[in-house]
C-alpha cells in the first residue's frame, strides 16, 4: 500500500478513535511539541532507535468490577527508528494481549504517523493505524509519564507471530475495552513482541 494512501487512512482511523463529535477538539502537534512528546515517551531524547514498554495484567478484583471487559492482560511496545532515507524519526507500535475467556496469545501492530494535541493543551496523543484499513488507536501518556493510555475502537488482530493477509479477527471496544491504562516497565517485559534477534537483544539490554 502506498504511503500516500496509508497516511490519510491512519489519521482517519485515529480520528475515529477520538470519536467524530470530538474531532474538532484536536489539532496536529507542532514539530517542537512532537519532539517533546517523543522525549517523554522514551524517557529521554531518542537516538537512532528507542523503545518504551507498558504492561497491565488485570487482577480478579478489577475484572469483577468490569464484567464486560474482554481483555485480561496487555503489553504495548512503542518503537522509534530514524530512517537513513529522510533522517526523520518514525514511531510504530506492537500490542500483545490475552482474552479473559478465550485461549491463545494475540498480537497487532502498525505505524504511528501523527501526533495530535487537544486544543486546550490537556493531552497529546500518538495516532497509530494497522495497515490496509485494519483500524487504529491513540496512545497518550499520564502526566507523570509512568503510564500509557491506549484508546481504540477496533483493530485487526492475529495469533501471536502468525499474521497473514487473510486475518479478519478484530479487537472491538466495548463498554469496558475502549481505554486501557498500562504501566511503564522495563523494556525486557516486551521481549515477546520483538521482531528479530537484534531487537530482542536491544530490549533485554540494561
Amino acid at each position: 500500500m502506498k504511503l500516500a494512501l496509508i497516511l490519510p487512512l491512519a489519521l482517519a482511523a485515529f480520528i475515529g478513535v477520538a470519536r467524530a463529535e470530538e474531532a474538532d477538539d484536536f489539532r496536529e502537534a507542532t514539530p517542537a511539541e512532537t519532539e517533546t512528546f517523543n522525549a517523554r515517551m522514551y524517557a529521554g531524547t531518542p537516538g537512532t532507535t528507542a523503545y518504551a514498554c507498558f504492561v497491565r495484567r488485570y487482577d480478579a478484583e478489577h475484572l469483577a468490577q468490569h464484567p464486560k471487559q474482554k481483555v485480561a492482560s496487555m503489553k504495548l511496545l512503542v518503537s522509534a527508528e530514524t530512517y537513513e532515507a529522510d533522517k526523520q524519526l518514525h514511531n510504530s507500535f506492537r500490542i500483545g494481549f490475552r482474552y479473559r475467556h478465550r485461549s491463545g496469545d494475540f498480537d497487532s501492530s502498525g505505524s504511528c504517523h501523527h501526533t495530535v494535541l487537544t486544543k486546550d493543551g490537556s493531552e497529546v496523543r500518538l495516532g497509530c493505524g494497522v495497515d490496509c484499513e485494519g483500524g487504529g488507536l491513540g496512545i497518550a501518556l499520564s502526566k507523570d509519564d509512568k503510564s500509557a493510555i491506549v484508546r481504540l475502537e477496533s483493530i485487526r488482530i492475529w495469533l501471536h507471530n502468525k499474521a497473514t493477509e487473510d486475518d479478519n479477527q478484530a479487537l472491538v471496544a466495548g463498554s469496558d475495552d475502549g481505554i486501557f491504562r498500562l504501566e511503564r516497565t522495563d523494556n525486557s517485559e516486551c521481549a515477546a513482541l520483538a521482531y528479530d534477534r537484534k531487537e530482542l537483544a536491544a530490549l533485554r539490554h540494561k
Side-chain angles (χ1 to χ4, degrees):
M1 185 176 294
K2 295 182 179 179
L3 183 61
L5 181 58
I6 292 175
L7 291 176
L9 285 174
L11 180 59
F14 174 68
I15 293 300
V17 174
R19 298 186 181 276
E21 66 269 21
E22 298 176 1
D24 290 340
D25 294 334
F26 290 86
R27 64 170 175 80
E28 191 158 0
T30 65
E33 290 165 339
T34 297
E35 184 176 341
T36 297
F37 181 76
N38 284 331
R40 292 176 58 204
M41 175 64 70
Y42 300 109
T45 303
T48 304
T49 58
Y51 302 95
C53 177
F54 304 87
V55 174
R56 182 77 179 269
R57 299 176 181 88
Y58 294 97
D59 59 26
E61 181 180 358
H62 175 95
L63 293 174
Q65 293 173 353
H66 299 83
K68 295 183 179 180
Q69 182 171 323
K70 300 184 289 288
V71 172
S73 64
M74 180 176 285
K75 293 183 178 182
L76 167 69
L77 178 65
V78 186
S79 305
E81 181 177 0
T82 300
Y83 292 173
E84 282 293 327
D86 59 8
K87 306 298 182 183
Q88 297 294 313
L89 189 74
H90 296 261
N91 293 298
S92 61
F93 80 94
R94 269 164 271 166
I95 278 182
F97 73 95
R98 289 184 176 181
Y99 280 110
R100 183 177 183 177
H101 300 301
R102 182 177 174 184
S103 62
D105 296 317
F106 293 85
D107 294 347
S108 188
S109 63
S111 301
C112 304
H113 299 291
H114 296 272
T115 306
V116 298
L117 178 71
T118 55
K119 288 186 178 178
D120 64 6
S122 61
E123 186 176 77
V124 186
R125 296 184 195 174
L126 195 60
C128 309
V130 181
D131 287 351
C132 300
E133 300 184 69
L137 52 81
I139 303 172
L141 290 168
S142 59
K143 291 183 179 180
D144 61 7
D145 297 341
K146 293 182 179 180
S147 303
I149 313 300
V150 179
R151 292 176 172 84
L152 65 86
E153 285 196 345
S154 176
I155 56 170
R156 186 167 64 250
I157 62 172
W158 46 85
L159 282 170
H160 180 57
N161 284 337
K162 294 182 179 179
T164 71
E165 293 182 358
D166 297 326
D167 286 316
N168 57 8
Q169 302 181 77
L171 172 59
V172 179
S175 58
D176 285 333
D177 290 284
I179 301 176
F180 300 92
R181 184 185 182 97
L182 314 178
E183 304 307 316
R184 187 188 293 273
T185 188
D186 190 89
N187 288 343
S188 62
E189 286 287 316
C190 287
L193 301 176
Y195 277 149
D196 52 41
R197 291 182 179 180
K198 183 178 179 180
E199 189 172 64
L200 179 61
L203 291 173
R204 289 177 172 172
H205 179 71
K206 297 294 184 180

